[in-house]
PDB file of all heavy atoms in Angstrom:
ATOM      1  N   MET E  12      -2.820  -5.909  -3.433  1.00 94.00           N
ATOM      2  CA  MET E  12      -2.801  -4.443  -3.420  1.00 94.00           C
ATOM      3  C   MET E  12      -3.819  -3.885  -4.413  1.00 94.00           C
ATOM      4  O   MET E  12      -4.537  -2.919  -4.113  1.00 94.00           O
ATOM      5  CB  MET E  12      -1.400  -3.934  -3.759  1.00 94.00           C
ATOM      6  CG  MET E  12      -1.288  -2.407  -3.754  1.00 94.00           C
ATOM      7  SD  MET E  12      -1.552  -1.681  -2.114  1.00 94.00           S
ATOM      8  CE  MET E  12       0.039  -2.035  -1.355  1.00 94.00           C
ATOM      9  N   THR E  13      -3.910  -4.492  -5.598  1.00 93.00           N
ATOM     10  CA  THR E  13      -4.893  -4.041  -6.588  1.00 93.00           C
ATOM     11  C   THR E  13      -6.307  -4.146  -6.033  1.00 93.00           C
ATOM     12  O   THR E  13      -7.116  -3.233  -6.173  1.00 93.00           O
ATOM     13  CB  THR E  13      -4.782  -4.887  -7.873  1.00 93.00           C
ATOM     14  OG1 THR E  13      -3.469  -4.717  -8.434  1.00 93.00           O
ATOM     15  CG2 THR E  13      -5.825  -4.453  -8.893  1.00 93.00           C
ATOM     16  N   GLY E  14      -6.579  -5.256  -5.348  1.00 91.00           N
ATOM     17  CA  GLY E  14      -7.906  -5.450  -4.779  1.00 91.00           C
ATOM     18  C   GLY E  14      -8.257  -4.423  -3.712  1.00 91.00           C
ATOM     19  O   GLY E  14      -9.346  -3.859  -3.706  1.00 91.00           O
ATOM     20  N   VAL E  15      -7.304  -4.150  -2.822  1.00 93.00           N
ATOM     21  CA  VAL E  15      -7.609  -3.227  -1.729  1.00 93.00           C
ATOM     22  C   VAL E  15      -7.705  -1.781  -2.239  1.00 93.00           C
ATOM     23  O   VAL E  15      -8.541  -1.000  -1.753  1.00 93.00           O
ATOM     24  CB  VAL E  15      -6.569  -3.366  -0.599  1.00 93.00           C
ATOM     25  CG1 VAL E  15      -5.266  -2.649  -0.918  1.00 93.00           C
ATOM     26  CG2 VAL E  15      -7.128  -2.846   0.728  1.00 93.00           C
ATOM     27  N   LEU E  16      -6.913  -1.412  -3.232  1.00 94.00           N
ATOM     28  CA  LEU E  16      -7.002  -0.062  -3.785  1.00 94.00           C
ATOM     29  C   LEU E  16      -8.303   0.141  -4.556  1.00 94.00           C
ATOM     30  O   LEU E  16      -8.905   1.222  -4.523  1.00 94.00           O
ATOM     31  CB  LEU E  16      -5.802   0.221  -4.684  1.00 94.00           C
ATOM     32  CG  LEU E  16      -4.438   0.327  -3.984  1.00 94.00           C
ATOM     33  CD1 LEU E  16      -3.334   0.594  -4.994  1.00 94.00           C
ATOM     34  CD2 LEU E  16      -4.462   1.404  -2.910  1.00 94.00           C
ATOM     35  N   GLN E  17      -8.759  -0.908  -5.228  1.00 93.00           N
ATOM     36  CA  GLN E  17     -10.046  -0.823  -5.925  1.00 93.00           C
ATOM     37  C   GLN E  17     -11.195  -0.653  -4.940  1.00 93.00           C
ATOM     38  O   GLN E  17     -12.116   0.138  -5.169  1.00 93.00           O
ATOM     39  CB  GLN E  17     -10.260  -2.072  -6.783  1.00 93.00           C
ATOM     40  CG  GLN E  17      -9.399  -2.116  -8.035  1.00 93.00           C
ATOM     41  CD  GLN E  17      -9.565  -3.414  -8.811  1.00 93.00           C
ATOM     42  OE1 GLN E  17     -10.108  -4.394  -8.291  1.00 93.00           O
ATOM     43  NE2 GLN E  17      -9.096  -3.431 -10.054  1.00 93.00           N
ATOM     44  N   GLN E  18     -11.133  -1.393  -3.817  1.00 93.00           N
ATOM     45  CA  GLN E  18     -12.155  -1.220  -2.781  1.00 93.00           C
ATOM     46  C   GLN E  18     -12.136   0.202  -2.238  1.00 93.00           C
ATOM     47  O   GLN E  18     -13.188   0.807  -1.982  1.00 93.00           O
ATOM     48  CB  GLN E  18     -11.924  -2.208  -1.639  1.00 93.00           C
ATOM     49  CG  GLN E  18     -12.137  -3.664  -2.003  1.00 93.00           C
ATOM     50  CD  GLN E  18     -11.794  -4.569  -0.840  1.00 93.00           C
ATOM     51  OE1 GLN E  18     -12.271  -4.376   0.275  1.00 93.00           O
ATOM     52  NE2 GLN E  18     -10.936  -5.555  -1.088  1.00 93.00           N
ATOM     53  N   GLY E  19     -10.926   0.737  -2.032  1.00 93.00           N
ATOM     54  CA  GLY E  19     -10.804   2.092  -1.537  1.00 93.00           C
ATOM     55  C   GLY E  19     -11.428   3.106  -2.480  1.00 93.00           C
ATOM     56  O   GLY E  19     -12.132   4.028  -2.047  1.00 93.00           O
ATOM     57  N   ARG E  20     -11.183   2.942  -3.782  1.00 93.00           N
ATOM     58  CA  ARG E  20     -11.757   3.872  -4.761  1.00 93.00           C
ATOM     59  C   ARG E  20     -13.277   3.814  -4.743  1.00 93.00           C
ATOM     60  O   ARG E  20     -13.949   4.836  -4.899  1.00 93.00           O
ATOM     61  CB  ARG E  20     -11.227   3.544  -6.165  1.00 93.00           C
ATOM     62  CG  ARG E  20      -9.750   3.845  -6.345  1.00 93.00           C
ATOM     63  CD  ARG E  20      -9.323   3.703  -7.798  1.00 93.00           C
ATOM     64  NE  ARG E  20      -7.877   3.840  -7.930  1.00 93.00           N
ATOM     65  CZ  ARG E  20      -7.039   2.812  -8.003  1.00 93.00           C
ATOM     66  NH1 ARG E  20      -7.509   1.575  -7.978  1.00 93.00           N
ATOM     67  NH2 ARG E  20      -5.746   3.013  -8.117  1.00 93.00           N
ATOM     68  N   ARG E  21     -13.833   2.608  -4.572  1.00 91.00           N
ATOM     69  CA  ARG E  21     -15.291   2.498  -4.510  1.00 91.00           C
ATOM     70  C   ARG E  21     -15.858   3.237  -3.296  1.00 91.00           C
ATOM     71  O   ARG E  21     -17.025   3.620  -3.284  1.00 91.00           O
ATOM     72  CB  ARG E  21     -15.708   1.020  -4.473  1.00 91.00           C
ATOM     73  CG  ARG E  21     -15.549   0.310  -5.809  1.00 91.00           C
ATOM     74  CD  ARG E  21     -16.312  -0.988  -5.832  1.00 91.00           C
ATOM     75  NE  ARG E  21     -15.783  -1.979  -4.909  1.00 91.00           N
ATOM     76  CZ  ARG E  21     -14.852  -2.876  -5.239  1.00 91.00           C
ATOM     77  NH1 ARG E  21     -14.351  -2.894  -6.462  1.00 91.00           N
ATOM     78  NH2 ARG E  21     -14.431  -3.755  -4.338  1.00 91.00           N
ATOM     79  N   ASN E  22     -15.033   3.424  -2.267  1.00 91.00           N
ATOM     80  CA  ASN E  22     -15.444   4.163  -1.087  1.00 91.00           C
ATOM     81  C   ASN E  22     -14.951   5.607  -1.100  1.00 91.00           C
ATOM     82  O   ASN E  22     -14.953   6.286  -0.076  1.00 91.00           O
ATOM     83  CB  ASN E  22     -14.943   3.462   0.181  1.00 91.00           C
ATOM     84  CG  ASN E  22     -15.759   2.230   0.530  1.00 91.00           C
ATOM     85  OD1 ASN E  22     -16.896   2.326   0.968  1.00 91.00           O
ATOM     86  ND2 ASN E  22     -15.179   1.066   0.306  1.00 91.00           N
ATOM     87  N   GLY E  23     -14.491   6.063  -2.289  1.00 93.00           N
ATOM     88  CA  GLY E  23     -14.105   7.459  -2.444  1.00 93.00           C
ATOM     89  C   GLY E  23     -12.706   7.803  -1.996  1.00 93.00           C
ATOM     90  O   GLY E  23     -12.397   8.981  -1.781  1.00 93.00           O
ATOM     91  N   VAL E  24     -11.823   6.801  -1.847  1.00 93.00           N
ATOM     92  CA  VAL E  24     -10.452   7.048  -1.401  1.00 93.00           C
ATOM     93  C   VAL E  24      -9.480   6.673  -2.505  1.00 93.00           C
ATOM     94  O   VAL E  24      -9.368   5.500  -2.883  1.00 93.00           O
ATOM     95  CB  VAL E  24     -10.123   6.243  -0.123  1.00 93.00           C
ATOM     96  CG1 VAL E  24      -8.675   6.505   0.300  1.00 93.00           C
ATOM     97  CG2 VAL E  24     -11.072   6.608   1.002  1.00 93.00           C
ATOM     98  N   GLU E  25      -8.768   7.682  -3.038  1.00 94.00           N
ATOM     99  CA  GLU E  25      -7.738   7.449  -4.040  1.00 94.00           C
ATOM    100  C   GLU E  25      -6.388   7.288  -3.348  1.00 94.00           C
ATOM    101  O   GLU E  25      -6.234   7.614  -2.160  1.00 94.00           O
ATOM    102  CB  GLU E  25      -7.687   8.612  -5.026  1.00 94.00           C
ATOM    103  CG  GLU E  25      -8.961   8.827  -5.831  1.00 94.00           C
ATOM    104  CD  GLU E  25      -9.206   7.718  -6.849  1.00 94.00           C
ATOM    105  OE1 GLU E  25      -8.247   7.007  -7.187  1.00 94.00           O
ATOM    106  OE2 GLU E  25     -10.360   7.576  -7.290  1.00 94.00           O
ATOM    107  N   VAL E  26      -5.393   6.789  -4.081  1.00 93.00           N
ATOM    108  CA  VAL E  26      -4.056   6.624  -3.515  1.00 93.00           C
ATOM    109  C   VAL E  26      -3.527   7.952  -3.008  1.00 93.00           C
ATOM    110  O   VAL E  26      -2.882   8.030  -1.949  1.00 93.00           O
ATOM    111  CB  VAL E  26      -3.097   6.019  -4.568  1.00 93.00           C
ATOM    112  CG1 VAL E  26      -1.666   5.989  -4.036  1.00 93.00           C
ATOM    113  CG2 VAL E  26      -3.545   4.613  -4.953  1.00 93.00           C
ATOM    114  N   SER E  27      -3.816   9.032  -3.723  1.00 93.00           N
ATOM    115  CA  SER E  27      -3.342  10.356  -3.327  1.00 93.00           C
ATOM    116  C   SER E  27      -3.979  10.838  -2.027  1.00 93.00           C
ATOM    117  O   SER E  27      -3.447  11.750  -1.364  1.00 93.00           O
ATOM    118  CB  SER E  27      -3.620  11.363  -4.442  1.00 93.00           C
ATOM    119  OG  SER E  27      -5.008  11.418  -4.742  1.00 93.00           O
ATOM    120  N   ASP E  28      -5.108  10.259  -1.632  1.00 94.00           N
ATOM    121  CA  ASP E  28      -5.780  10.653  -0.394  1.00 94.00           C
ATOM    122  C   ASP E  28      -5.173   9.993   0.842  1.00 94.00           C
ATOM    123  O   ASP E  28      -5.477  10.385   1.969  1.00 94.00           O
ATOM    124  CB  ASP E  28      -7.267  10.288  -0.466  1.00 94.00           C
ATOM    125  CG  ASP E  28      -7.999  11.022  -1.581  1.00 94.00           C
ATOM    126  OD1 ASP E  28      -7.668  12.197  -1.819  1.00 94.00           O
ATOM    127  OD2 ASP E  28      -8.887  10.420  -2.212  1.00 94.00           O
ATOM    128  N   ILE E  29      -4.346   8.971   0.638  1.00 94.00           N
ATOM    129  CA  ILE E  29      -3.763   8.224   1.759  1.00 94.00           C
ATOM    130  C   ILE E  29      -2.593   9.016   2.331  1.00 94.00           C
ATOM    131  O   ILE E  29      -1.628   9.320   1.636  1.00 94.00           O
ATOM    132  CB  ILE E  29      -3.310   6.827   1.306  1.00 94.00           C
ATOM    133  CG1 ILE E  29      -4.522   6.033   0.811  1.00 94.00           C
ATOM    134  CG2 ILE E  29      -2.614   6.085   2.436  1.00 94.00           C
ATOM    135  CD1 ILE E  29      -4.174   4.694   0.197  1.00 94.00           C
ATOM    136  N   ASP E  30      -2.682   9.353   3.611  1.00 93.00           N
ATOM    137  CA  ASP E  30      -1.654  10.178   4.258  1.00 93.00           C
ATOM    138  C   ASP E  30      -0.476   9.362   4.769  1.00 93.00           C
ATOM    139  O   ASP E  30       0.646   9.869   4.850  1.00 93.00           O
ATOM    140  CB  ASP E  30      -2.266  10.961   5.430  1.00 93.00           C
ATOM    141  CG  ASP E  30      -3.323  11.951   4.963  1.00 93.00           C
ATOM    142  OD1 ASP E  30      -3.126  12.535   3.880  1.00 93.00           O
ATOM    143  OD2 ASP E  30      -4.338  12.124   5.668  1.00 93.00           O
ATOM    144  N   ALA E  31      -0.718   8.120   5.179  1.00 92.00           N
ATOM    145  CA  ALA E  31       0.361   7.319   5.749  1.00 92.00           C
ATOM    146  C   ALA E  31       0.096   5.843   5.513  1.00 92.00           C
ATOM    147  O   ALA E  31      -1.053   5.397   5.475  1.00 92.00           O
ATOM    148  CB  ALA E  31       0.502   7.595   7.240  1.00 92.00           C
ATOM    149  N   VAL E  32       1.174   5.085   5.356  1.00 93.00           N
ATOM    150  CA  VAL E  32       1.119   3.630   5.186  1.00 93.00           C
ATOM    151  C   VAL E  32       1.987   3.025   6.284  1.00 93.00           C
ATOM    152  O   VAL E  32       3.191   3.284   6.355  1.00 93.00           O
ATOM    153  CB  VAL E  32       1.645   3.209   3.803  1.00 93.00           C
ATOM    154  CG1 VAL E  32       1.641   1.685   3.672  1.00 93.00           C
ATOM    155  CG2 VAL E  32       0.809   3.845   2.703  1.00 93.00           C
ATOM    156  N   LEU E  33       1.365   2.228   7.158  1.00 90.00           N
ATOM    157  CA  LEU E  33       2.071   1.644   8.296  1.00 90.00           C
ATOM    158  C   LEU E  33       2.444   0.199   7.974  1.00 90.00           C
ATOM    159  O   LEU E  33       1.577  -0.626   7.691  1.00 90.00           O
ATOM    160  CB  LEU E  33       1.176   1.695   9.541  1.00 90.00           C
ATOM    161  CG  LEU E  33       1.750   1.094  10.818  1.00 90.00           C
ATOM    162  CD1 LEU E  33       2.981   1.868  11.270  1.00 90.00           C
ATOM    163  CD2 LEU E  33       0.688   1.073  11.918  1.00 90.00           C
ATOM    164  N   LEU E  34       3.731  -0.105   8.034  1.00 90.00           N
ATOM    165  CA  LEU E  34       4.220  -1.459   7.782  1.00 90.00           C
ATOM    166  C   LEU E  34       4.429  -2.178   9.111  1.00 90.00           C
ATOM    167  O   LEU E  34       5.075  -1.651  10.004  1.00 90.00           O
ATOM    168  CB  LEU E  34       5.535  -1.417   7.004  1.00 90.00           C
ATOM    169  CG  LEU E  34       5.533  -0.654   5.679  1.00 90.00           C
ATOM    170  CD1 LEU E  34       6.879  -0.802   4.987  1.00 90.00           C
ATOM    171  CD2 LEU E  34       4.415  -1.155   4.764  1.00 90.00           C
ATOM    172  N   VAL E  35       3.867  -3.388   9.230  1.00 88.00           N
ATOM    173  CA  VAL E  35       3.981  -4.143  10.478  1.00 88.00           C
ATOM    174  C   VAL E  35       4.450  -5.558  10.188  1.00 88.00           C
ATOM    175  O   VAL E  35       4.197  -6.111   9.122  1.00 88.00           O
ATOM    176  CB  VAL E  35       2.649  -4.174  11.248  1.00 88.00           C
ATOM    177  CG1 VAL E  35       2.213  -2.777  11.630  1.00 88.00           C
ATOM    178  CG2 VAL E  35       1.555  -4.859  10.446  1.00 88.00           C
ATOM    179  N   GLY E  36       5.139  -6.153  11.162  1.00 86.00           N
ATOM    180  CA  GLY E  36       5.599  -7.528  11.027  1.00 86.00           C
ATOM    181  C   GLY E  36       7.019  -7.628  10.506  1.00 86.00           C
ATOM    182  O   GLY E  36       7.582  -6.674   9.956  1.00 86.00           O
ATOM    183  N   GLY E  37       7.604  -8.808  10.675  1.00 87.00           N
ATOM    184  CA  GLY E  37       9.003  -8.992  10.302  1.00 87.00           C
ATOM    185  C   GLY E  37       9.262  -8.978   8.815  1.00 87.00           C
ATOM    186  O   GLY E  37      10.321  -8.522   8.364  1.00 87.00           O
ATOM    187  N   THR E  38       8.311  -9.454   8.003  1.00 92.00           N
ATOM    188  CA  THR E  38       8.535  -9.555   6.565  1.00 92.00           C
ATOM    189  C   THR E  38       8.760  -8.187   5.921  1.00 92.00           C
ATOM    190  O   THR E  38       9.457  -8.080   4.917  1.00 92.00           O
ATOM    191  CB  THR E  38       7.348 -10.276   5.892  1.00 92.00           C
ATOM    192  OG1 THR E  38       7.199 -11.574   6.481  1.00 92.00           O
ATOM    193  CG2 THR E  38       7.572 -10.451   4.402  1.00 92.00           C
ATOM    194  N   VAL E  39       8.182  -7.132   6.490  1.00 91.00           N
ATOM    195  CA  VAL E  39       8.351  -5.795   5.904  1.00 91.00           C
ATOM    196  C   VAL E  39       9.771  -5.283   6.084  1.00 91.00           C
ATOM    197  O   VAL E  39      10.131  -4.236   5.522  1.00 91.00           O
ATOM    198  CB  VAL E  39       7.351  -4.780   6.507  1.00 91.00           C
ATOM    199  CG1 VAL E  39       5.932  -5.238   6.277  1.00 91.00           C
ATOM    200  CG2 VAL E  39       7.606  -4.558   8.004  1.00 91.00           C
ATOM    201  N   GLN E  40      10.608  -6.003   6.852  1.00 90.00           N
ATOM    202  CA  GLN E  40      12.005  -5.607   7.005  1.00 90.00           C
ATOM    203  C   GLN E  40      12.862  -6.045   5.829  1.00 90.00           C
ATOM    204  O   GLN E  40      14.000  -5.594   5.670  1.00 90.00           O
ATOM    205  CB  GLN E  40      12.577  -6.210   8.300  1.00 90.00           C
ATOM    206  CG  GLN E  40      11.906  -5.712   9.564  1.00 90.00           C
ATOM    207  CD  GLN E  40      12.101  -4.216   9.749  1.00 90.00           C
ATOM    208  OE1 GLN E  40      13.192  -3.748  10.056  1.00 90.00           O
ATOM    209  NE2 GLN E  40      11.044  -3.453   9.566  1.00 90.00           N
ATOM    210  N   ILE E  41      12.335  -6.934   4.979  1.00 94.00           N
ATOM    211  CA  ILE E  41      13.075  -7.383   3.799  1.00 94.00           C
ATOM    212  C   ILE E  41      13.170  -6.223   2.810  1.00 94.00           C
ATOM    213  O   ILE E  41      12.143  -5.651   2.424  1.00 94.00           O
ATOM    214  CB  ILE E  41      12.370  -8.588   3.149  1.00 94.00           C
ATOM    215  CG1 ILE E  41      12.317  -9.766   4.134  1.00 94.00           C
ATOM    216  CG2 ILE E  41      13.071  -9.000   1.858  1.00 94.00           C
ATOM    217  CD1 ILE E  41      11.529 -10.957   3.619  1.00 94.00           C
ATOM    218  N   PRO E  42      14.367  -5.826   2.394  1.00 94.00           N
ATOM    219  CA  PRO E  42      14.521  -4.669   1.496  1.00 94.00           C
ATOM    220  C   PRO E  42      13.688  -4.785   0.219  1.00 94.00           C
ATOM    221  O   PRO E  42      13.134  -3.784  -0.244  1.00 94.00           O
ATOM    222  CB  PRO E  42      16.010  -4.664   1.189  1.00 94.00           C
ATOM    223  CG  PRO E  42      16.637  -5.270   2.405  1.00 94.00           C
ATOM    224  CD  PRO E  42      15.678  -6.331   2.855  1.00 94.00           C
ATOM    225  N   ALA E  43      13.579  -5.967  -0.356  1.00 96.00           N
ATOM    226  CA  ALA E  43      12.809  -6.127  -1.585  1.00 96.00           C
ATOM    227  C   ALA E  43      11.329  -5.857  -1.350  1.00 96.00           C
ATOM    228  O   ALA E  43      10.631  -5.351  -2.239  1.00 96.00           O
ATOM    229  CB  ALA E  43      12.999  -7.544  -2.150  1.00 96.00           C
ATOM    230  N   VAL E  44      10.837  -6.172  -0.150  1.00 95.00           N
ATOM    231  CA  VAL E  44       9.438  -5.889   0.180  1.00 95.00           C
ATOM    232  C   VAL E  44       9.240  -4.387   0.333  1.00 95.00           C
ATOM    233  O   VAL E  44       8.228  -3.825  -0.119  1.00 95.00           O
ATOM    234  CB  VAL E  44       9.024  -6.640   1.462  1.00 95.00           C
ATOM    235  CG1 VAL E  44       7.614  -6.236   1.891  1.00 95.00           C
ATOM    236  CG2 VAL E  44       9.090  -8.154   1.240  1.00 95.00           C
ATOM    237  N   LYS E  45      10.190  -3.714   0.966  1.00 94.00           N
ATOM    238  CA  LYS E  45      10.118  -2.253   1.081  1.00 94.00           C
ATOM    239  C   LYS E  45      10.102  -1.597  -0.301  1.00 94.00           C
ATOM    240  O   LYS E  45       9.345  -0.660  -0.549  1.00 94.00           O
ATOM    241  CB  LYS E  45      11.293  -1.730   1.894  1.00 94.00           C
ATOM    242  CG  LYS E  45      11.307  -2.161   3.346  1.00 94.00           C
ATOM    243  CD  LYS E  45      12.509  -1.575   4.068  1.00 94.00           C
ATOM    244  CE  LYS E  45      12.567  -2.022   5.518  1.00 94.00           C
ATOM    245  NZ  LYS E  45      13.740  -1.448   6.224  1.00 94.00           N
ATOM    246  N   ASP E  46      10.943  -2.111  -1.194  1.00 95.00           N
ATOM    247  CA  ASP E  46      10.977  -1.563  -2.564  1.00 95.00           C
ATOM    248  C   ASP E  46       9.641  -1.780  -3.265  1.00 95.00           C
ATOM    249  O   ASP E  46       9.184  -0.915  -4.022  1.00 95.00           O
ATOM    250  CB  ASP E  46      12.097  -2.233  -3.372  1.00 95.00           C
ATOM    251  CG  ASP E  46      13.484  -1.831  -2.876  1.00 95.00           C
ATOM    252  OD1 ASP E  46      13.599  -0.789  -2.209  1.00 95.00           O
ATOM    253  OD2 ASP E  46      14.445  -2.578  -3.165  1.00 95.00           O
ATOM    254  N   TRP E  47       9.034  -2.924  -3.002  1.00 96.00           N
ATOM    255  CA  TRP E  47       7.733  -3.200  -3.620  1.00 96.00           C
ATOM    256  C   TRP E  47       6.678  -2.202  -3.147  1.00 96.00           C
ATOM    257  O   TRP E  47       5.887  -1.694  -3.939  1.00 96.00           O
ATOM    258  CB  TRP E  47       7.292  -4.631  -3.284  1.00 96.00           C
ATOM    259  CG  TRP E  47       5.904  -4.932  -3.743  1.00 96.00           C
ATOM    260  CD1 TRP E  47       5.507  -5.315  -4.993  1.00 96.00           C
ATOM    261  CD2 TRP E  47       4.713  -4.851  -2.961  1.00 96.00           C
ATOM    262  NE1 TRP E  47       4.140  -5.468  -5.036  1.00 96.00           N
ATOM    263  CE2 TRP E  47       3.627  -5.190  -3.798  1.00 96.00           C
ATOM    264  CE3 TRP E  47       4.457  -4.527  -1.626  1.00 96.00           C
ATOM    265  CZ2 TRP E  47       2.314  -5.216  -3.343  1.00 96.00           C
ATOM    266  CZ3 TRP E  47       3.147  -4.548  -1.170  1.00 96.00           C
ATOM    267  CH2 TRP E  47       2.097  -4.899  -2.032  1.00 96.00           C
ATOM    268  N   VAL E  48       6.670  -1.894  -1.856  1.00 95.00           N
ATOM    269  CA  VAL E  48       5.691  -0.945  -1.314  1.00 95.00           C
ATOM    270  C   VAL E  48       5.885   0.434  -1.941  1.00 95.00           C
ATOM    271  O   VAL E  48       4.917   1.147  -2.233  1.00 95.00           O
ATOM    272  CB  VAL E  48       5.816  -0.859   0.224  1.00 95.00           C
ATOM    273  CG1 VAL E  48       4.849   0.197   0.777  1.00 95.00           C
ATOM    274  CG2 VAL E  48       5.536  -2.204   0.866  1.00 95.00           C
ATOM    275  N   ARG E  49       7.144   0.815  -2.186  1.00 95.00           N
ATOM    276  CA  ARG E  49       7.433   2.140  -2.749  1.00 95.00           C
ATOM    277  C   ARG E  49       6.947   2.280  -4.188  1.00 95.00           C
ATOM    278  O   ARG E  49       6.873   3.388  -4.709  1.00 95.00           O
ATOM    279  CB  ARG E  49       8.930   2.417  -2.662  1.00 95.00           C
ATOM    280  CG  ARG E  49       9.456   2.544  -1.228  1.00 95.00           C
ATOM    281  CD  ARG E  49      10.908   3.008  -1.194  1.00 95.00           C
ATOM    282  NE  ARG E  49      11.442   2.963   0.158  1.00 95.00           N
ATOM    283  CZ  ARG E  49      12.224   1.992   0.631  1.00 95.00           C
ATOM    284  NH1 ARG E  49      12.587   0.987  -0.177  1.00 95.00           N
ATOM    285  NH2 ARG E  49      12.665   2.019   1.875  1.00 95.00           N
ATOM    286  N   GLN E  50       6.626   1.169  -4.835  1.00 95.00           N
ATOM    287  CA  GLN E  50       6.050   1.255  -6.171  1.00 95.00           C
ATOM    288  C   GLN E  50       4.634   1.836  -6.132  1.00 95.00           C
ATOM    289  O   GLN E  50       4.153   2.369  -7.124  1.00 95.00           O
ATOM    290  CB  GLN E  50       5.999  -0.140  -6.818  1.00 95.00           C
ATOM    291  CG  GLN E  50       7.361  -0.754  -7.073  1.00 95.00           C
ATOM    292  CD  GLN E  50       7.240  -2.167  -7.632  1.00 95.00           C
ATOM    293  OE1 GLN E  50       6.147  -2.688  -7.803  1.00 95.00           O
ATOM    294  NE2 GLN E  50       8.371  -2.769  -7.929  1.00 95.00           N
TER     295      GLN E  50
END
């Protein structure tokens, strides 16, 4: 996540600019993974 957010900033996209985050696949159904994304 740190790597992809840093790449985004280099292209002018901050976390606050992201309108939506799409979770795909079975692993994102694990509650602990959902909690991690909410951080």
Side-chain angles (χ1 to χ4, degrees):
M12 181 65 77
T13 299
V15 79
L16 292 179
Q17 287 176 345
Q18 293 176 51
R20 291 188 187 98
R21 287 196 294 269
N22 284 288
V24 179
E25 298 290 341
V26 174
S27 58
D28 298 323
I29 298 174
D30 296 323
V32 177
L33 179 64
L34 304 184
V35 298
T38 302
V39 301
Q40 297 297 289
I41 298 175
V44 174
K45 294 181 181 180
D46 291 340
W47 173 83
V48 177
R49 294 188 187 101
Q50 295 176 359

